[in-house]
Amino acid sequence: PTTGRPGVMAASDGGEVVVSEWGAEDPRAGILALHGYGDYGDLTFRRAAPFWAEQGIATIAPDQRGFGRNGSRGRWPGADGLVADARGYVGQVRARFPCTPMILLGHSMGGGVAASAAADAPIDGLLLATPAIWGGGRLNPLHRAAAWIAAMVVPDQRFSGRGVVRIQASDNIEALRELSGDPLYLAPPSPREIFGLVRLVDQAAKSAGEITVPSLMLLGSKDQIVPNATVRKVFARTAGPRE
């Protein structure tokens, strides 16, 4: 994997976040790529971004607040904070490449952030990869209640789920080993973060009907985390061209 060139971007709280960038000479398009929970920009996109660069597509992948190489790692910024950050990142990328088509890409948690920001961000397209957008009435109310109670009682306790949760995040064993061996990978989530993710999927589901740009969603046929059928129903509410 090729590591992206490091830099910084401004977050909505006035601070800075670390960003990885894979440039392309005279790019014909740009991708602002938002990683999932626990990941960070370089870790998630270091395999795909060099290929995109060969196709003339530049990739800018920030470590979202609370994750990766940021000093805020381990401190949940809130769903609203992540979405506000994303809107700000779009503006900064637009300022650098004013005449270049721009795609907002979000993976997992980043998909929820991207979907929430897409309705009023100046982007040309939206790409959601196994996105966290199944909120609202589509989320099991018992799960919602359990997340709220845990966040109230033990907000910062990190539970491994070992021996209880039998879900495998991927069938790519090499990638799973890379994640577990990365010192910057943040796991497991705290109840505060779990409930924050509940609020994020709620916001993403609510925003779906306001998305008007061309949109593409990618889902894994063997995904054990994202409820594909429910996510498809949310995605079907987007108003723009979609695939």
Side-chain angles (χ1 to χ4, degrees), residues 119 126 207-215 233-243:
L126 177 66
S207 300
E210 301 172 6
I211 297 172
T212 58
V213 296
S215 302
K233 291 178 181 178
V234 176
F235 185 69
R237 293 178 50 232
T238 60
R242 56 186 180 269
E243 294 185 25

Side-chain angles (χ1 to χ4, degrees), residues 80-124:
D80 291 341
L82 290 172
V83 175
D85 286 350
R87 293 190 181 106
Y89 302 151
V90 169
Q92 292 169 69
V93 175
R94 273 295 193 197
R96 286 184 56 191
F97 306 103
C99 299
T100 302
M102 191 177 117
I103 307 301
L104 180 58
L105 183 158
H107 170 248
S108 191
M109 178 194 80
V113 175
S116 299
D120 55 4
I123 58 175
D124 298 294

